[in-house]
């Protein structure tokens, strides 16, 4: 094939390319600064105490939400779409889990990552083995967890809400697949003493890029815990991840 036969960017000289690249670099740096400002705002977001005693099915038996922290301060939960009637998990959520990289940095920052779905544990375990995943995955079957965090919609159980829109707003926006059944999302929790607090949740495309340690830490109250961040006074700092 020739360059006339397939779509492609314009062909220019090296000098022209460098000029265009520097212009784009300025925009990229502006976007990075904006991202840092948003992350700083997220670290100052207020939190809500989790009052319900949610219980989850795990390979070793029943666990509470506090148990899922595995003794760490922060918990990031990916709400994986897996309806109890399904035999396989959502393809999009499966792609997300397949894209997850090395998360060892999380534990060094006192943070745990886990997945939660409404399907029974036996189905989750079978699918996890089939996919070759090692990520902790818990079943919320029989609890209100999915409904309370708006990743399962059933008007008989709770008012419809997804991505911070109620039913009327979803209908007006013509949002597909959010009126009933399973949806995906990501929620963050903080453990202080005996109490657990909900600090943040993201849905829809807001979860797409959250597949590596740094991106996931950016969603937490303590962030990456590095000195370049604009964090409140006395926030924990990790000078190195080594």
């Amino acid at each position: 094939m020739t360059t006339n036969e397939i779509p492609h960017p314009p062909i220019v000289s090296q000098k022209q390319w460098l000029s265009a690249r520097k212009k784009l670099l300025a925009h990229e740096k502006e976007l990075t600064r904006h991202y840092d400002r948003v992350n700083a705002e997220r670290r100052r977001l207020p939190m809500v105490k989790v009052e319900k005693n949610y219980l989850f099915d795990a390979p070793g038996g029943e666990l509470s939400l506090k148990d899922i922290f595995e003794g760490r301060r922060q918990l990031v939960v990916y709400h994986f779409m897996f309806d109890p009637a399904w035999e396989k998990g959502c393809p999009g959520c499966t792609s997300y889990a397949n894209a997850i990289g090395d998360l060892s940095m999380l534990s060094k920052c006192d943070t745990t990552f886990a997945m939660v779905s409404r399907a029974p544990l036996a189905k989750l375990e079978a699918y996890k083995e089939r996919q070759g995943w090692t990520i902790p995955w818990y079943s919320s079957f029989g609890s209100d967890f999915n409904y309370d965090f708006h990743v399962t919609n059933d008007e008989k159980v709770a008012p419809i809400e997804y991505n911070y829109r109620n039913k009327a707003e979803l209908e007006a926006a013509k949002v597909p697949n959010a009126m009933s059944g399973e949806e995906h999302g990501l929620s963050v929790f903080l453990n202080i003493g005996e109490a657990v607090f909900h600090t943040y949740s993201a849905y829809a495309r807001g979860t797409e890029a959250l597949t590596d340690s740094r991106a996931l830490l950016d969603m937490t109250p303590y962030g990456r815990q590095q000195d370049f961040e604009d964090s409140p006074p006395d926030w924990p700092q990790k000078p190195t991840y080594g």
Side-chain angles (χ1 to χ4, degrees), residues 61-165:
E62 206 168 54
L63 297 177
S64 68
L65 183 59
K66 183 177 173 62
D67 292 331
I68 294 177
F69 280 77
E70 297 181 345
R72 301 188 181 99
R73 179 73 54 165
Q74 301 185 128
L75 171 67
V76 179
V77 168
Y78 181 73
H79 302 283
F80 191 113
M81 294 170 63
F82 203 141
D83 186 277
W86 299 350
E87 296 304 320
K88 295 188 295 185
C90 160
C93 292
T94 299
S95 296
Y96 172 88
N98 283 332
I100 292 174
D102 177 12
L103 299 184
S104 60
M105 186 189 299
L106 295 184
S107 61
K108 295 173 184 177
C109 291
D110 213 9
T111 304
T112 294
F113 180 84
M115 300 193 302
V116 171
S117 300
R118 205 163 57 90
L121 182 63
K123 287 188 175 183
L124 303 185
E125 287 289 287
Y127 196 64
K128 177 179 175 180
E129 183 176 1
R130 174 179 168 182
Q131 297 297 324
W133 297 334
T134 58
I135 302 164
W137 198 1
Y138 305 104
S139 171
S140 60
F141 185 69
S143 85
D144 294 334
F145 186 76
N146 275 46
Y147 301 101
D148 291 347
F149 289 93
H150 308 295
V151 288
T152 299
N153 273 317
D154 184 343
E155 281 190 298
K156 297 190 297 293
V157 179
I160 290 174
E161 180 184 318
Y162 185 64
N163 204 12
Y164 304 103
R165 289 169 165 170

Side-chain angles (χ1 to χ4, degrees), residues 194-235:
E194 295 302 312
V196 172
F197 298 87
H198 174 222
T199 66
Y200 181 78
S201 284
Y203 304 94
R205 294 192 63 190
T207 69
E208 285 182 346
L210 307 180
T211 57
D212 67 86
S213 292
R214 289 181 176 87
L216 289 168
L217 286 170
D218 284 342
M219 302 302 111
T220 67
Y222 294 154
R224 302 187 193 186
Q225 302 169 40
Q226 294 184 309
D227 56 12
F228 80 89
E229 295 176 302
D230 174 10
S231 294
D234 301 322
W235 247 227

